[in-house]
Amino acid sequence: MTMLTTLATHPGPWHDGGGAPGYWPIFPIMFGLFWLAVLGTGFYLVRRRMSAAGAAAAAASDPMAKAQALLAERFARGEIDEDEYLMRQSTLRNGG
């Protein structure tokens, strides 16, 4: 019974006169920095996806960019050699 009485009347670590530890402000600061990092990362990813989609749409609507991409793909697959690639690329750039 005396142990139960001692536990019931003990004020605990926060009421022992010592107060809170000196590092208590670190937790809310770190919590705030964590959420800023999460929001910043989300903003970056959304922004990156939007700019990639915009660039793809612009490239799809530009026939010159589409022709150059097709030429580069054919060269990469080995369908045309380097001389033909350079000649056709020059033709595309000069418009004729």
Side-chain angles (χ1 to χ4, degrees):
M1 186 72 169
T2 60
M3 183 170 200
L4 199 55
T5 307
T6 305
L7 287 174
T9 60
H10 184 68
W14 300 105
H15 304 289
D16 206 13
Y23 55 85
W24 71 269
I26 292 174
F27 294 110
I29 291 171
M30 294 302 288
F31 187 73
L33 289 175
F34 168 76
W35 283 111
L36 282 175
V38 168
L39 291 173
T41 303
F43 179 76
Y44 170 75
L45 292 174
V46 167
R47 183 77 179 206
R48 189 171 135 196
R49 174 168 278 195
M50 288 175 62
S51 67
S61 66
D62 183 19
M64 184 63 73
K66 193 182 236 182
Q68 287 177 341
L70 182 62
L71 184 62
E73 286 176 19
R74 289 187 64 200
F75 178 65
R77 285 192 299 254
E79 294 177 9
I80 57 175
D81 62 351
E82 184 179 1
D83 292 331
E84 188 175 356
Y85 172 75
L86 292 174
M87 181 186 67
R88 290 182 183 215
Q89 192 176 35
S90 173
T91 303
L92 280 175
R93 265 190 261 136
N94 294 332

